[in-house]
Amino acid sequence: MASNFSASNRAAVASRIGTALANVAKAMSNAGYAAGDYGLVVQNYVSPLPRSTNISYPEGGFSRQSTYGCGFWNADLDWAAGTAHPAINSTIASGIAASQVANVQTVDVSTLFSGHELCASTTEKLNNTPLANWRSPGAVDVSEWISEVRTASAAFSDYYVQESLHPNYWGQLALRSCLRQIYNDGDVRSGICTAGTGLTAAGEPVVTIS
C-alpha cells in the first residue's frame, strides 16, 4: 500500500492518465473533430469513508463489520479520508495537466458524499428509523450513499462482494445528476458538485454545481 501511494508511483499513474486523455483527443482529431466540437469530462473520486470522529459506531471487536458493514479501525479511516482520498484526486489532477489537452472539463465530486459516507454519524441504518423502506420520503437524507463492505459470506446472496465501498442506489443517482448538470445541455462545463437535501422531480438527490 505504501508503494502504491509513493511519489514515484503517483507520478507514473498521473503520466498514464495524461497519455490516456491525450490519446482520446488524438482519436477525436483523427476522426475530424476540432477541440471545440466536443467536451472531454474527467470525474474524480468521492470519499466513501468518514473520519474516525464522524463514524457512528465505536471501535472495538468486530461489530463495525459484522453488524454495520464498515470494518475499519479509526487509524485506517483517518488515513483513507485524510491521505488516500486526497492523494488519488491530486494524482488525477496531475494527469489532466500532463495531458496538455485544452478542452478537458472536470466534475469534482470529492465532497459530494459528505455526510452520506459509510457508517457516518449523520446517517441511519434503515431498521433504526421509522421509515417504511429505503425509498420512503426523507430516506435519501439519512441514508448512506455507499454500499457496505461485503465479505465472502455474501458471495451467494443478492449482493456482490465487488460492490463493497461503491456508490449505491442513491449514490449513483447523485452522480448521475452531477454529470447531467456538467453536460449542461451540450454546453459542457467544469464544476464542484455538492449535495443538498431532498429529491428532484426526477427522483435524484438534490445536488448543485458551483
Side-chain angles (χ1 to χ4, degrees):
M1 188 62 71
S3 63
N4 285 339
F5 282 87
S6 67
S8 60
N9 192 58
R10 288 173 55 191
V13 171
S15 178
R16 291 198 295 270
I17 292 171
T19 298
L21 295 175
N23 285 343
V24 172
K26 183 178 180 180
M28 295 297 287
S29 177
N30 289 345
Y33 292 95
D37 293 337
Y38 66 96
L40 184 58
V41 177
V42 177
Q43 175 185 298
N44 61 9
Y45 282 82
V46 299
S47 181
L49 298 170
R51 292 179 182 268
S52 61
T53 52
N54 297 320
I55 193 167
S56 288
Y57 312 110
E59 181 181 55
F62 297 98
S63 63
R64 273 188 184 170
Q65 176 57 41
S66 61
T67 305
Y68 307 112
C70 49
F72 296 89
W73 303 118
N74 287 345
D76 296 325
L77 291 170
D78 291 338
W79 178 83
T83 299
H85 181 240
I88 290 168
N89 284 346
S90 66
T91 301
I92 293 171
S94 295
I96 295 171
S99 75
Q100 298 185 334
V101 176
N103 61 325
V104 174
Q105 305 292 339
T106 59
V107 50
D108 183 349
V109 296
S110 59
T111 62
L112 176 62
F113 286 16
S114 180
H116 295 281
E117 304 99 330
L118 183 61
C119 292
S121 58
T122 46
T123 64
E124 295 281 353
K125 299 295 186 182
L126 185 63
N127 59 356
N128 291 330
T129 73
L131 298 169
N133 60 66
W134 58 276
R135 297 181 70 179
S136 296
V140 63
D141 296 324
V142 298
S143 292
E144 300 162 333
W145 291 0
I146 287 288
S147 295
E148 296 177 358
V149 176
R150 310 288 182 185
T151 61
S153 61
F156 299 102
S157 71
D158 293 334
Y159 302 99
Y160 292 94
V161 174
Q162 62 265 34
E163 291 177 349
S164 300
L165 291 180
H166 285 73
N168 61 17
Y169 177 85
W170 291 123
Q172 293 287 1
L173 288 184
L175 289 167
R176 184 175 75 177
S177 183
C178 290
L179 187 57
R180 181 182 290 113
Q181 293 181 57
I182 288 292
Y183 176 68
N184 198 31
D185 292 326
D187 186 14
V188 183
R189 55 178 175 162
S190 294
I192 300 170
C193 194
T194 54
T197 57
L199 296 174
T200 68
E204 298 170 338
V206 170
V207 301
T208 57
I209 298 293
S210 60

